[in-house]
Amino acid sequence: MTPPLTDERIFEVVRRIPPGHVATYGQIARLVGRPRGARRIGYALHRCPSGLPWHRVINAQGRISLPADSTSGLAQRRRLSEEGIVFISGRIDLDRYGWDDAAN
DNA sequence: CGTGTGACGCGAG
DNA sequence: CCTCGCGCCACAC
């Protein structure tokens, strides 16, 4: 009887991702108690409030899940770069920049 | 109500 | 590396 997962619940977790680090959709899903609800995360982020560090959320392959040529896609990549995150062949090394939520 | 649709994930081939 | 399929969750029609 799990209650409906609200967007706010998701945003709370996203807000905890420290600058210079990234989290995956699946990771956020697990943190809110929906191990297989990764899709739900993307749905919520698509309509997230301003001020939320949405750019720190990427997919499990370390890639940005937005069209590379889209306005938001380019913005995400730029903002991550500004935080010191390095892209290698359009990909982010999760072992290095992945947010270690367990220790937080 | 049934159906479609994602800023997803993961295993197979 | 790539594509296909299926599971998943909430929501718009």
Side-chain angles (χ1 to χ4, degrees):
Chain A
M1 309 310 289
T2 56
L5 176 57
T6 63
D7 286 348
E8 191 49 46
R9 187 84 181 302
I10 294 172
F11 300 151
E12 274 180 43
V13 175
V14 175
R15 273 191 279 268
R16 297 191 352 234
I17 305 172
H21 290 268
V22 294
T24 67
Y25 296 93
Q27 182 179 4
I28 302 297
R30 286 194 298 281
L31 291 175
V32 296
R34 290 294 186 295
R36 283 159 289 292
R39 280 192 110 145
R40 172 80 189 78
I41 309 303
Y43 191 86
L45 257 48
H46 189 249
R47 43 193 288 86
C48 70
S50 59
L52 192 86
W54 59 270
H55 58 284
R56 302 196 186 119
V57 184
I58 61 178
N59 62 36
Q61 296 141 58
R63 309 173 125 296
I64 288 176
S65 285
L66 286 168
D69 55 353
S70 66
T71 304
S72 47
L74 290 170
Q76 179 168 22
R77 176 161 182 155
R78 183 173 57 71
R79 297 177 74 172
L80 288 174
S81 295
E82 291 176 343
E83 294 189 353
I85 292 175
V86 178
F87 285 76
I88 297 177
S89 297
R91 212 178 313 143
I92 294 172
D93 182 354
L94 291 176
D95 289 325
R96 179 174 173 182
Y97 302 106
W99 174 36
D100 189 353
D101 55 89
N104 272 273

